[in-house]
Amino acid sequence: MIEAARAAIARVRELFQRRRLAADLDDELRFHLEQEIQHNVARGMSATDARRAAMLSFGGVQRFREETHDARGFVAAERVIRDVRFTLRRLRRAPAFTAGVVGTLGIGLGAAAGIGALVYGVMLRPLPYVDPERLIRVSLITPGLGTTSTDHSPGTLKFFGDRARSFTELGGYYENDGVAITDGDEPERTTAAMVTPSVFRILGSVPALGRLFRDEDAVSDTVPVLVSYDIWQRRFGGDSAVIGKQIELNRGRRTIIGVLPKDFDFPSRAVGVWYPSGDRAKRADLTSRSVLGIGRLRRGVTVEQADAELAALVPRLPERFPELSPNVMQQSGIRATVTTLRAAIVAPVRGELTLLGLMVGIVLLIATVNVATLFLLRAERLRGEIAVGRALGASGGAIIQRFVIEGVVAAVGGGAVALPIAAAAVSTKLGFTTGEIPRLHDVHLGGKEIAVVSAITLIVGVVLGLVTAARAGAGGASDALRDDRRSVTAGRTWRRTQEGFVAVQIALALALLLGATLMGQSLLKLRRVDIGFTPRNRATFDAALPFSAYPTYQRTVAFHFEVMRSLAAQPGMGNVAAAMRLPLIAGQSSLQHRIQAAGDPTRNQEATAQANVVSANYFAVMGIGLRTGRSFAPGDLAGTPSVILSTSLARELFAAADPLGRSIRLVSDPAYPAYRVVGVVGDVFGERIPDGVIRVLYFPLLADLAPASLIKAPIPYNPSVHYIVQSTLPIGTLAPAFRQAVALIDHRVPVAGVKTLDAIVSSATARTRLMMFVLAVAAVATALLGAIGLYSVVAYAVAGRATEFGVRLALGATEPEIVGLVFRQGAIVLVAGLTMGTVTSLAGSRFVQRVLYNVDANDPMAYVCAVGVMFAAAAAAAFFPARSAGRTDPARTLRGS
Amino acid sequence: MARTDTNEHVLQGTLDLLILKTLSLAPMHGWGLTHRIQELSRDALQVGQGSIYPALVRLEQRGLIATEWSTTENNRRAKYYRISPAGRRAMGEELASWKRFVGAMDLVLGATS
């Protein structure tokens, strides 16, 4: 064993010393010859005779050289090098073949690597926390309450945290993006995360500086905070003496106790400060839940076990929260679930990413199949050559080695093309933005990804080589020599294989075409959707007011009105409106109010709706149509405050009856007064168009509250608003103007979220557009490849059967008959492919459905279109070789045989 | 280039043993080796150069002999071969097995009944 290893090592070492060893051997052999001559001379021969005798006994220097050389084991390695050189030369001489192979593999591998890296980086990569597979999300679902929220309330989270044995502990957090850092000259908006101190223990985080939260921090009067690495660098110059320093957040002074590490991104990358939050667990608060629950599974506990434990705890909720009557428990349909944290984070984009992943698989498969077809066609042409080589004594191993090298060389070429494509896909993130897709920001093409791509490249190369070698007849020389092109039967298996390949390609192309058609239909529908407002020449920004400085409705409204006046006075600005929330903007609170139409005992209708507080000119500035009644006017907050309903809410509450003048109440917030309906406006969407229009209850934002109602505003408002400005100025000049206008009123209020409404609308369809684009490109490429594949199969069959056609024609067959004969053969492959493709698509429709808008994934029209396009392309591809078959010259082919 | 011929195999093993034995007496260069074997066998064994050098390479790779460049008595640079400790051990084993083989052959060939 040791000896074998030593011999192997010696061989490898000698391989690198080849030249020197060859020189040594020459030297040694020359010495031998000289000695022999001297010996012969010493025995009395003449110089010439001595030399001749020595040479004779030597038997030709060259042979020894070769034999010692072979003994050193150079031959195998040299053969590899020779084959690589040979392959390169051959590939250079067949530029079309080489370009086809390298290009196809390059695009296939590149797309696969690029999208694969994105899908892996977002969906599969472990979270960057300690032992990430044990991190879980605990959710609370109440389908009966008309909400899709999976959040907990602090109360319910504590309930489960105190009782469940499956977790080391549970923690909760939520984000507030309206926090202003107000010390220094430049106020800055940031996002704050309110986290229970347990969150950092659950994640296993360590601070870059200082310490993380302890349980007592949640009840501390000083309210200690943690800051992000970025804020520490930018606002404190990376000074390590920052611990214990004060930071002014929303006008309140907080003490910094720690700095989080550079890449820390929990709960999101936007977070700049972390506040400790305690468990204020008085009530279950099922209707206003905003805490996301996370936890760490105890070692050995599975997600399923933890899920079962929570399910068993749900019925015991009323023990802790007596307000949860059996009726409420049943009506709400309350359930608690456990999923892995990674799955929970990725959930919003799972549909798209799964689809992309499938698509990448298809593209790579097709690229490989195509290249294999190219290789096989070539192998077919080389059969004669190989057979002669075998007959002359080339070993099967040498031939296999030759083809494997050929495959690997081609694949490496493809890999070289693939890497820049993959790098481009990864660096552009395919047009997705980090806001849309979690974890996208730290997706990159690192050493690990490149290693995987290289490994796949080599595997593809070796497989290509082996398949080709098998086809080219590495098996037996006599077989290959016998099986010339005219024998139809012997080539049957090979043709079947190739036809199978083409059928698979057509099937996959059909699936992609169908996907692209469906996405196209979705996009058309999205485009045609009446979004309910006019985005052109309108921009928006928002300002969040700290409660400490703006504790009353009066103060906030005064601020908003001054800002609006200040903006309208600037050159180039038209009308200015304000609203608490805007359509199609993600990340706003989705809090639902339960509303009851009062006054009519026969109709006791209830509905849920989101509240919005808007200035009187909001509907005019936004271009939201007034359906009936009037917009807000001064005086609307006095007495019985006025409200305006969205069309869908009016229909829900009053059906066909006239809602004007009717009275409504907020059932979920009985502290508020009754309201009088003064108008109905058109519908708008919530965060996403696919979720449909939302029901909205509009309250007036007015500066005319009577002094008597100063204590508490009669409407549910919050102190942050979006301003909407009509202006044709470019966004670049608007942003500083906005900042200036706000600074004039209060220089410690930062401006955020500067966008045009056009941009907001466009980003609402961006993902659909992108998916459609990617699918369409892949579909067209695949369909082309499928058509080319079919063409080559039919053309090959035609070439192989030329004699047969000649005979048939000579015996009286007509041209159309021959064309039909050939075409039928292509048609069988085509129909098989289309059938397979249809079945595959039907089976895979649920993956597609998730990303479609108002389109059925099994839409028959889409199927008809996709099948039609594929059929037309493939039929055209089959027709040309069929026609040439019909034009076979009988005389020539018969002579030829 | 697989050598599967049985005779050749046996001969090759025998040649290795001859080389090891001869080198165990004194280090020498390739030419000297061929002559020494011829001499020791009283001209009965003539080792062709075509066999001796590949055999030397193989033995060297297996670590059974070591080589060094040195100068002859005529001041000519030559490659000298020397048996290694591993070579001595291998020689012992080969020798024993050879003797068993020869003994067995004798028994069979010398059988009279």
Side-chain angles (χ1 to χ4, degrees):
Chain A
M1 204 58 213
I2 295 166
E3 195 182 287
R6 182 163 43 211
I9 292 167
R11 269 167 205 234
V12 171
R13 199 174 48 230
E14 286 170 354
L15 199 55
F16 291 103
Q17 305 170 336
R18 223 146 35 113
R19 197 154 292 164
R20 192 179 60 71
L21 286 172
D24 280 358
L25 183 63
D26 279 350
D27 212 14
E28 192 175 6
L29 295 181
R30 210 174 318 119
F31 170 75
H32 189 107
L33 204 56
E34 283 168 18
Q35 287 288 316
E36 190 71 20
I37 293 167
Q38 272 176 22
H39 183 72
N40 288 347
V41 169
R43 289 201 320 204
M45 287 189 188
S46 76
T48 336
D49 286 347
R51 168 163 284 273
R52 192 183 320 118
M55 291 292 269
L56 268 177
S57 85
F58 212 93
V61 179
Q62 191 56 36
R63 192 163 69 84
F64 302 119
R65 221 180 259 157
E66 277 176 13
E67 283 190 11
T68 39
H69 195 78
D70 211 21
R72 283 200 196 278
F74 290 150
V75 175
E78 274 183 349
R79 205 158 51 198
V80 169
I81 295 166
R82 197 187 57 217
D83 278 1
V84 169
R85 285 218 195 96
F86 189 42
T87 298
L88 287 174
R89 208 162 43 232
R90 256 195 327 244
L91 289 177
R92 250 201 314 276
R93 258 190 269 124
F97 170 77
T98 309
V101 167
V102 171
T104 311
L105 267 185
I107 293 169
L109 279 169
I115 298 179
L118 289 181
V119 172
Y120 168 78
V122 174
M123 274 179 80
L124 305 174
R125 191 167 40 107
L127 296 170
Y129 312 113
V130 173
D131 210 353
E133 291 315 308
R134 281 165 54 213
L135 292 175
I136 48 87
R137 152 77 29 89
V138 288
S139 307
L140 197 65
I141 311 167
T142 51
L145 295 182
T147 167
T148 57
S149 168
T150 58
D151 297 350
H152 272 275
S153 69
T156 54
L157 189 63
K158 184 161 174 19
F159 171 84
F160 290 111
D162 288 347
R163 285 163 184 76
R165 311 294 310 147
S166 301
F167 317 100
T168 60
E169 57 186 330
L170 290 184
Y173 61 91
Y174 60 96
E175 288 176 64
N176 170 7
D177 68 352
V179 171
I181 305 173
T182 43
D183 45 9
D185 297 332
E186 189 75 6
E188 178 182 342
R189 263 278 281 283
T190 189
T191 300
M194 316 293 167
V195 300
T196 57
S198 56
V199 163
F200 293 112
R201 291 194 295 267
I202 289 167
L203 296 176
S205 312
V206 284
L209 208 62
R211 64 170 177 88
L212 299 175
F213 291 138
R214 299 187 191 121
D215 286 332
E216 61 267 28
D217 290 331
V219 290
S220 160
D221 290 334
T222 59
V223 191
V225 295
L226 302 170
V227 296
S228 70
Y229 190 89
D230 173 56
I231 287 191
W232 177 50
Q233 289 292 323
R234 276 192 301 107
R235 296 198 76 101
F236 296 94
D239 182 3
S240 57
V242 73
I243 304 303
K245 277 200 177 155
Q246 304 260 295
I247 181 170
E248 198 182 275
L249 296 169
N250 281 356
R251 317 280 165 101
R253 306 204 67 81
R254 309 286 180 228
T255 309
I256 298 175
I257 60 161
V259 176
L260 282 152
K262 193 167 180 194
D263 298 318
F264 191 79
D265 59 354
F266 192 90
S268 74
R269 258 208 338 157
V271 175
V273 288
W274 287 260
Y275 285 79
S277 79
D279 345 284
R280 302 152 289 141
K282 298 278 182 292
R283 295 195 301 144
D285 282 328
L286 290 190
T287 48
S288 66
R289 305 174 344 238
S290 60
V291 178
L292 287 155
I294 67 164
R296 178 173 285 279
L297 291 175
R298 275 185 206 285
R299 218 169 276 286
V301 177
T302 65
V303 170
E304 290 73 26
Q305 288 165 344
D307 194 70
E309 189 190 12
L310 289 202
L313 281 173
V314 168
R316 288 175 50 200
L317 272 165
E319 294 172 13
R320 172 71 185 76
F321 306 108
E323 73 270 25
L324 297 179
S325 63
N327 203 14
V328 171
M329 289 293 286
Q330 206 205 329
Q331 255 181 6
S332 62
I334 186 166
R335 281 196 306 122
T337 62
V338 177
T339 47
T340 64
L341 184 60
R342 192 182 61 200
I345 289 178
V346 174
V349 290
R350 241 187 73 209
E352 271 99 340
L353 289 180
T354 312
L355 200 59
L356 277 178
L358 282 177
M359 201 195 69
V360 152
I362 290 179
V363 169
L364 183 59
L365 195 62
I366 289 179
T368 314
V369 165
N370 254 291
V371 170
T373 311
L374 283 174
F375 263 84
L376 286 175
L377 279 170
R378 229 169 74 87
E380 194 65 12
R381 232 172 296 131
L382 294 177
R383 297 202 80 190
E385 188 188 310
I386 299 300
V388 171
R390 294 228 51 179
L392 290 179
S395 69
I399 292 172
I400 291 174
Q401 180 177 322
R402 179 197 140 166
F403 280 113
V404 167
I405 287 174
E406 215 168 270
V408 169
V409 167
V412 167
V417 174
L419 279 179
I421 295 177
V426 169
S427 66
T428 59
K429 317 276 191 218
L430 283 185
F432 285 108
T433 63
T434 40
E436 286 175 311
I437 298 192
R439 312 219 283 152
L440 190 62
H441 55 90
D442 47 14
V443 169
H444 37 69
L445 204 61
K448 206 165 60 176
E449 284 81 0
I450 291 176
V452 171
V453 174
S454 308
I456 293 178
T457 306
L458 288 182
I459 292 171
V460 167
V462 170
V463 169
L464 281 176
L466 289 178
V467 169
T468 319
R471 180 53 206 156
S478 51
D479 269 4
L481 277 177
R482 239 188 348 258
D483 176 27
D484 70 346
R485 289 172 61 120
R486 253 160 301 178
S487 68
V488 179
T489 41
R492 185 162 283 163
T493 341
W494 138 248
R495 215 179 55 229
R496 283 278 146 74
T497 318
Q498 216 200 352
E499 284 173 356
F501 277 180
V502 172
V504 168
Q505 276 184 29
I506 291 175
L508 296 176
L510 178 67
L512 286 180
L513 271 176
L514 190 65
T517 312
L518 291 169
M519 285 316 280
Q521 285 176 306
S522 286
L523 191 60
L524 274 182
K525 293 219 165 153
L526 273 177
R527 281 264 169 84
R528 286 211 204 102
V529 160
D530 176 11
I531 55 170
F533 66 95
T534 318
R536 261 190 79 71
N537 293 333
R538 288 159 174 87
T540 175
F541 70 96
D542 61 86
L545 301 177
F547 183 74
S548 54
Y550 296 87
T552 65
Y553 178 76
Q554 259 70 20
R555 293 278 288 276
T556 45
V557 172
F559 174 87
H560 295 322
F561 275 77
E562 279 185 66
V563 168
M564 286 194 273
R565 257 196 303 280
S566 150
L567 276 171
Q570 301 227 5
M573 309 265 186
N575 293 322
V576 183
M580 219 170 67
R581 52 189 309 138
L582 284 181
L584 300 183
I585 288 193
Q588 305 179 105
S589 137
S590 57
L591 192 64
Q592 301 274 330
H593 294 275
R594 268 163 63 217
I595 299 159
Q596 197 172 50
D600 182 353
T602 59
R603 283 186 58 85
N604 193 16
Q605 273 296 335
E606 259 192 40
T608 55
Q610 295 191 350
N612 198 355
V613 180
V614 300
S615 62
N617 62 349
Y618 171 76
F619 302 111
V621 171
M622 284 291 283
I624 295 175
L626 189 64
R627 298 281 177 264
T628 175
R630 61 169 177 87
S631 183
F632 294 122
D636 271 352
L637 272 181
T640 303
S642 304
V643 290
I644 291 174
L645 310 180
S646 69
T647 306
S648 52
L649 178 60
R651 197 183 309 123
E652 187 85 8
L653 281 176
F654 301 106
D658 182 11
L660 291 187
R662 296 288 292 273
S663 175
I664 62 162
R665 293 197 69 97
L666 299 185
V667 185
S668 44
D669 308 85
Y672 289 107
Y675 302 100
R676 186 165 40 92
V677 178
V678 297
V680 175
V681 293
D683 279 321
V684 292
F685 291 89
E687 292 187 5
R688 286 158 33 90
I689 295 177
D691 294 342
V693 296
I694 50 167
R695 294 185 291 273
V696 187
L697 179 60
Y698 294 94
F699 296 97
L701 182 75
L702 289 169
D704 62 338
L705 260 193
S709 27
L710 266 176
I711 297 121
K712 190 172 187 333
I715 57 171
Y717 79 101
N718 84 46
S720 326
V721 297
H722 299 273
Y723 300 96
I724 306 99
V725 182
Q726 277 183 328
S727 174
T728 51
L729 291 177
I731 189 85
T733 58
L734 280 174
F738 292 163
R739 258 193 290 279
Q740 203 188 332
V742 172
L744 279 176
I745 317 303
D746 184 340
H747 68 90
R748 293 202 289 176
V749 173
V751 162
V754 181
K755 278 182 206 138
T756 63
L757 293 195
D758 273 327
I760 289 169
V761 172
S762 144
S763 72
T765 56
R767 251 153 81 175
T768 312
R769 266 183 291 141
L770 180 75
M771 288 300 293
M772 191 197 123
F773 174 74
V774 174
L775 271 175
V777 169
V780 169
T782 318
L784 265 179
L785 291 176
I788 293 171
L790 190 64
Y791 172 87
S792 52
V793 162
V794 177
Y796 175 74
V798 167
R801 290 169 68 188
T803 320
E804 181 199 331
F805 297 140
V807 172
R808 279 176 189 261
L809 285 166
L811 293 178
T814 62
E815 188 181 323
E817 274 170 6
I818 298 290
V819 173
L821 190 72
V822 176
F823 196 78
R824 260 201 301 284
Q825 199 181 2
I828 290 169
V829 178
L830 176 56
V831 168
L834 291 177
T835 313
M836 254 194 295
T838 310
V839 172
T840 316
S841 305
L842 285 171
S845 65
R846 70 201 166 85
F847 291 110
V848 187
Q849 190 65 65
R850 246 181 291 179
V851 297
L852 295 180
Y853 172 68
N854 264 4
V855 176
D856 182 6
N858 294 323
D859 180 37
M861 266 316 288
Y863 274 82
V864 169
C865 280
V867 170
V869 168
M870 195 62 238
F871 185 84
F879 174 72
F880 292 105
R883 195 181 55 180
S884 84
R887 292 184 181 163
T888 311
D889 179 357
R892 226 183 46 215
T893 50
L894 292 179
R895 229 185 1 256
S897 68
Chain B
M1 289 287 157
R3 282 176 228 271
T4 47
D5 184 27
T6 327
N7 283 329
E8 212 171 316
H9 193 73
V10 169
L11 283 175
Q12 190 184 314
T14 318
L15 178 59
D16 288 355
L17 181 55
L18 283 176
I19 292 173
L20 289 175
K21 174 66 195 174
T22 314
L23 286 179
S24 75
L25 303 174
M28 58 190 75
H29 45 66
W31 182 82
L33 195 58
T34 55
H35 277 260
R36 188 86 180 112
I37 291 174
Q38 201 173 339
E39 211 175 278
L40 287 173
S41 67
R42 292 183 202 122
D43 284 342
L45 294 173
Q46 293 213 3
V47 184
Q49 294 85 338
S51 314
I52 195 103
Y53 285 105
L56 283 170
V57 168
R58 264 191 306 274
L59 288 172
E60 185 189 346
Q61 281 182 340
R62 287 166 60 198
L64 302 184
I65 58 175
T67 66
E68 62 190 342
W69 285 89
S70 182
T71 45
T72 65
E73 52 271 36
N74 318 340
N75 243 358
R76 174 71 170 80
R77 211 170 81 93
K79 194 176 190 180
Y80 277 81
Y81 296 88
R82 192 161 35 77
I83 190 163
S84 72
R88 265 181 215 286
R89 273 197 302 279
M91 185 183 74
E93 287 159 22
E94 296 263 328
L95 212 53
S97 110
W98 173 258
K99 284 192 172 141
R100 271 198 306 278
F101 176 67
V102 170
M105 288 295 281
D106 274 350
L107 286 176
V108 175
L109 300 179
T112 48
S113 59

